[in-house]
Amino acid sequence: MEALVPLLVALSGLPALGVAAWYARDAADAHVRGIALRWALIALALLLGACGLYWAAGHQLRTGAVVLALVLAVNVLGVSLVMHLRRRDRGRQG
């Protein structure tokens, strides 16, 4: 039962990996490759977070540290993705 939450976190990273693969199909455009990279890093952060949760195995302090690191990593990568998308939009307007 202790492996259920890490398994769910790892499974929640699969859609991000699918989006990364979808964007990676167009390898000619550097901007699209940047989007695919950020999605792949989000999936990797979720996978590593799942491994960390499995390692923490119910230890409250370790679990809290892993959850904090996971939340920070995913949110920083999400902000990076949004900023990368906006950078392309600014280039089209100017």
Side-chain angles (χ1 to χ4, degrees):
M1 192 65 161
E2 290 180 8
L4 182 63
V5 172
L7 180 63
L8 291 175
V9 172
L11 289 176
S12 71
L14 290 179
L17 192 59
V19 171
W22 181 265
Y23 275 106
R25 293 179 310 133
D26 184 17
D29 188 7
H31 184 73
V32 174
R33 281 195 315 260
I35 294 170
L37 174 66
R38 283 161 177 83
W39 276 110
L41 289 174
I42 290 170
L44 179 64
L46 287 168
L47 180 63
L48 290 175
C51 292
L53 286 173
Y54 185 73
W55 167 76
H59 189 270
Q60 193 172 13
L61 185 62
R62 285 190 272 183
T63 303
V66 169
V67 168
L68 179 65
L70 180 60
V71 167
L72 284 174
V74 170
N75 282 308
V76 165
L77 288 166
V79 168
S80 173
L81 177 63
V82 169
M83 290 175 61
H84 187 75
L85 291 170
R86 292 188 68 199
R87 201 172 314 140
R88 173 75 171 242
D89 292 340
R90 274 192 236 132
R92 287 184 181 172
Q93 291 174 359

